[in-house]
């Protein structure tokens, strides 16, 4: 079965432009997470979706960041007016919301803001 | 959230056992201990988790101290492919923040041929 996929794998953009990052979770997984990882750092939680519940947006660093999850499956993370400090690897994970909810990660999108 | 403390880096030789320590002195009774690892240029992958008893799976073993204030991930026979950053994370079973995994910097494991 397919794992979590993310696109694009790499994105280079200019400061001030908007970017959209996509995540396709494992089929049937009800929980979806976005994390950010700056160079040499651990993962920073951004947002969490669980079924039809309101998402936990407590990790979003500013109002330039938003995310949606359509039909309980695919998710898009949007960064508006990108800044150089937004450069990082953006990781998506999904889990089945059963038991200890092992998270399965995608390969990430490497974002570079020039 | 209870925090974990891990050494920044460790080194091992190929085909030798590796013991990766983690301290979690503020662990609560409902916190599970999870280990993930992240190979270079990849997303993290689940390794193992446990609550009180030692656990074994095909990837590794997890030894949990009797007071649960520390744990050790054991790779029985390190290979070059085990070179990665290993993260020890506490996951509370109940509570509003259950879904967030609080990630530290982990232990960067180097495996020498």
């Amino acid at each position: 079965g397919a794992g979590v996929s993310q696109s694009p794998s790499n994105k280079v953009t200019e400061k001030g432009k908007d970017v959209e990052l996509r995540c396709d979770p494992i089929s049937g997984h009800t929980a979806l997470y976005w994390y950010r990882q700056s160079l040499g750092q651990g993962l920073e939680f951004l947002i969490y979706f669980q079924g039809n519940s309101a998402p936990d947006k407590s990790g979003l660093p500013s109002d330039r960041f938003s995310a949606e999850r359509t039909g309980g499956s695919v998710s898009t993370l949007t960064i508006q007016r990108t800044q150089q400090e937004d450069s990082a690897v953006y990781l998506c994970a999904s889990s089945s919301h059963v038991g200890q909810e092992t998270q399965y990660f995608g390969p990430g999108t490497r974002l570079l803001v020039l | 959230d209870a925090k974990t403390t891990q050494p920044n880096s460790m080194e091992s030789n190929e085909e030798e056992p590796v013991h990766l320590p983690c301290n979690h002195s503020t662990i609560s009774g409902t916190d599970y201990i999870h280990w993930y690892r992240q190979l270079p240029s990849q997303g993290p992958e689940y390794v193992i988790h446990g609550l009180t008893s030692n656990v074994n799976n095909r990837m590794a073993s997890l030894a949990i101290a009797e007071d649960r204030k520390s744990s050790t991930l054991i790779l029985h026979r390190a290979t070059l492919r085990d070179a990665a950053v290993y993260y020890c994370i506490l996951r509370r079973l109940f509570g509003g923040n259950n879904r967030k995994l609080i990630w530290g910097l982990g232990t960067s494991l180097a495996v020498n041929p």
Side-chain angles (χ1 to χ4, degrees):
Chain A
V4 177
S5 61
Q6 293 186 244
S7 61
S9 54
N10 292 282
K11 176 72 176 178
V12 180
T13 189
E14 294 179 349
K15 178 181 173 181
K17 295 287 181 68
D18 298 351
V19 295
E20 284 190 353
L21 312 179
R22 177 187 168 105
C23 172
D24 282 88
I26 292 173
S27 177
H29 278 190
T30 58
L32 187 147
Y33 312 74
W34 282 98
Y35 294 89
R36 175 170 72 173
Q37 186 173 32
S38 300
L39 190 64
Q41 301 297 309
L43 276 68
E44 174 190 4
F45 168 81
L46 297 178
I47 188 169
Y48 159 74
F49 295 90
Q50 172 54 52
N52 295 321
S53 302
D56 178 351
K57 303 179 181 181
S58 60
L60 294 178
S62 77
D63 59 8
R64 296 187 295 105
F65 288 73
S66 63
E68 62 178 21
R69 189 179 184 192
T70 55
S73 180
V74 172
S75 177
T76 302
L77 177 70
T78 301
I79 308 173
Q80 295 178 312
R81 304 180 303 281
T82 52
Q83 303 294 314
Q84 289 182 332
E85 58 263 29
D86 298 335
S87 297
V89 176
Y90 289 81
L91 290 155
C92 174
S94 69
S95 69
S96 66
H97 195 57
V98 174
Q100 268 297 293
E101 300 182 34
T102 298
Q103 295 188 12
Y104 296 86
F105 284 81
T109 293
R110 285 156 185 77
L111 174 66
L112 177 61
V113 181
L114 300 176
Chain B
D1 295 301
K3 293 185 178 178
T4 63
T5 304
Q6 299 176 254
N8 290 334
S9 62
M10 291 185 65
E11 201 169 326
S12 175
N13 295 320
E14 202 175 6
E15 300 189 7
E16 290 184 355
V18 182
H19 291 230
L20 297 164
C22 181
N23 288 323
H24 28 79
S25 58
T26 60
I27 193 171
S28 77
T30 56
D31 285 339
Y32 278 73
I33 303 158
H34 284 244
W35 284 81
Y36 283 75
R37 72 178 186 181
Q38 187 172 23
L39 278 64
S41 301
Q42 295 188 25
E45 65 174 345
Y46 167 81
V47 177
I48 200 167
H49 77 272
L51 182 63
T52 56
S53 303
N54 294 344
V55 184
N56 299 297
N57 66 20
R58 64 175 181 81
M59 289 182 71
S61 295
L62 177 60
I64 301 173
E66 195 169 334
D67 63 5
R68 302 212 320 127
K69 293 184 183 300
S70 65
S71 61
T72 302
L73 179 71
I74 302 166
L75 306 179
H76 294 286
R77 199 162 161 268
T79 70
L80 296 179
R81 293 183 61 185
D82 291 323
V85 178
Y86 288 79
Y87 295 96
C88 168
I89 303 160
L90 300 183
R91 184 87 186 259
R92 190 153 296 169
L93 184 58
F94 303 108
N97 287 329
N98 177 33
R99 309 299 180 250
K100 299 178 192 179
L101 293 182
I102 307 301
W103 298 72
L105 296 179
T107 296
S108 179
L109 175 67
V111 180
N112 302 315

